[in-house]
Amino acid sequence: MARSLDGLVLAPVADQAPGQVGTGTRFTYHEKDGEIWAEYAGGDIVRGRLLGTREGDRLDFRYVQLGRDGTTSGGHCVSDVVELSDGRLRLEETWEWESRTGSGASVVEQGEPLVGPAQAARVERSG
């Protein structure tokens, strides 16, 4: 199982349709005892929340958000937690709106590598 999401900030790697989550959106995740939740905002989203569960490397949650255009919407998402080679986490998501028509897939990733290039070079030289 990949490490905890608690306290991590993740961002989409690509924009979705206008009025939805995009590269300007940031998710701040929390995790405790199999529960996950997050706050998110940015881009076309004024404020959003998600709440769900984690079992192994699979998240299952519902989300609700307020768009800059004043609309609210919500849906369901299932995500696989993947650890990248540089130590960052990625969520590979499949989602579906429950308040309107539409579904899709998206990817969000942790913003900064755990080991930057300078540190990686020092580790390689010392190893």
Side-chain angles (χ1 to χ4, degrees):
M1 182 165 98
R3 69 180 194 285
S4 174
L5 295 167
D6 195 52
L8 298 184
V9 177
L10 290 87
V13 299
D15 285 322
Q16 300 291 320
Q20 296 183 21
V21 164
T23 55
T25 309
R26 296 294 176 270
F27 293 79
T28 302
Y29 273 84
H30 311 279
E31 180 175 354
K32 183 177 180 182
D33 300 329
E35 298 173 11
I36 55 121
W37 65 99
E39 304 85 33
Y40 61 99
D44 288 340
I45 307 302
V46 173
R47 186 179 327 276
R49 299 284 187 270
L50 65 84
L51 179 64
T53 58
R54 178 176 183 171
E55 189 171 317
D57 288 334
R58 171 127 325 177
L59 308 180
D60 188 328
F61 62 83
R62 288 204 156 55
Y63 56 91
V64 62
Q65 63 192 37
L66 171 63
R68 295 220 177 272
D69 63 1
T71 61
T72 60
S73 50
H76 176 243
C77 183
V78 175
S79 301
D80 291 318
V81 181
V82 177
E83 189 161 353
L84 300 173
S85 61
D86 64 5
R88 295 178 303 134
L89 294 185
R90 167 188 286 167
L91 302 181
E92 297 175 350
E93 306 178 318
T94 303
W95 51 268
E96 182 175 18
W97 290 110
E98 294 179 327
S99 62
R100 61 187 194 200
T101 304
S103 62
S106 55
V107 173
V108 297
E109 290 183 353
Q110 187 178 353
E112 298 295 325
L114 292 179
V115 178
Q119 291 88 352
R122 280 191 292 245
V123 169
E124 288 175 12
R125 283 194 296 270
S126 68

